Amino acid sequence: METIGWRKSMTSTGKLLADLDNLLIAEEGSVLRARQTRAFRKIVGERKKILVLLREARDSRNIDLIIAAEKMLIEGDLLRYTNSREMRASLTSAFHEMVAIELHLELLKEPEKYRFVDRLHGTPKTREGDYPLDTARLALNSHVARLKNLDRSRLDETEKELIELRKEYMIFARDLYIARQAETLVGAEKPAGM
């Protein structure tokens, strides 16, 4: 009896996998047909324009602009694409991280205040290199990881290119942030009048 149950299970498993294979093929055909539509080509064209603007933001080397652009993308995703509680939570966290980065960028403009942040991060676990692993750096690291996870989802080529560029410029923003930390802290250590 046990053998018959196992064979029946294998038969239903085989049917399920065959049905799944057929549906995946049908879905791919539908996706390919959808990509041929005028509406889809318009979306791709708009995404390519977004890519151009994001590259301009990256090439400006202006971290404030890069963070503002990313924050705007996150806000748009929250408004238009959130389709689960988990996605809303992740995007809300990302938005709050961008706000924290903006606040830290303001702190970096005032060496005396940022030196206090530096002192708060005095243990090896709260430092990376010579500089504090502050909330902004943690947020930048977190957002890069979030973008890497997005890249694993089922996206079209232009969407993947957008995600790749966003990862790239957030890594670049992290490097700019560290450079600004160095500039602020080294500048803050100089005696008055120098």
Side-chain angles (χ1 to χ4, degrees), residues 111-179:
E112 287 300 317
K113 287 183 180 179
Y114 195 75
R115 221 182 315 162
F116 182 72
V117 172
D118 183 44
R119 284 194 304 264
L120 289 173
H121 294 80
T123 63
K125 287 186 177 183
T126 61
R127 299 188 78 76
E128 194 172 273
D130 294 330
Y131 305 107
L133 194 53
D134 61 16
T135 304
R137 283 180 65 186
L138 293 172
L140 286 159
N141 290 340
S142 172
H143 197 58
V144 167
R146 183 180 292 108
L147 290 168
K148 285 179 181 178
N149 287 334
L150 271 178
D151 194 25
R152 295 184 187 130
S153 62
R154 297 169 70 177
L155 305 170
D156 67 44
E157 294 80 17
T158 312
E159 289 172 306
K160 286 186 179 189
E161 194 175 349
L162 271 168
I163 299 295
E164 189 59 37
L165 178 59
R166 289 172 68 188
K167 281 191 301 192
E168 181 185 311
Y169 81 34
M170 291 308 293
I171 290 168
F172 186 60
R174 183 177 57 201
D175 294 343
L176 290 172
Y177 185 82
I178 293 167

Side-chain angles (χ1 to χ4, degrees), residues 41-108:
R41 287 191 302 270
K42 185 173 190 224
I43 290 169
V44 169
E46 290 163 351
R47 287 178 179 154
K48 287 183 178 185
K49 289 176 186 175
I50 292 169
L51 279 165
V52 168
L53 292 176
L54 295 180
R55 285 187 185 108
E56 285 180 27
R58 177 201 58 203
D59 295 345
S60 74
R61 300 184 58 84
N62 180 338
I63 188 172
D64 298 290
L65 176 60
I66 292 169
I67 298 304
E70 186 61 19
K71 185 176 162 189
M72 188 177 287
L73 288 166
I74 293 165
E75 282 179 296
D77 286 352
L78 265 167
L79 290 172
R80 290 182 288 279
Y81 303 116
T82 303
N83 58 15
S84 70
R85 187 176 47 202
E86 292 82 8
M87 187 177 188
R88 176 167 296 287
S90 178
L91 288 169
T92 300
S93 291
F95 180 81
H96 290 299
E97 287 170 352
M98 293 304 118
V99 170
I101 294 165
E102 289 174 331
L103 292 171
H104 276 72
L105 287 168
E106 289 302 312
L107 274 175
L108 283 167

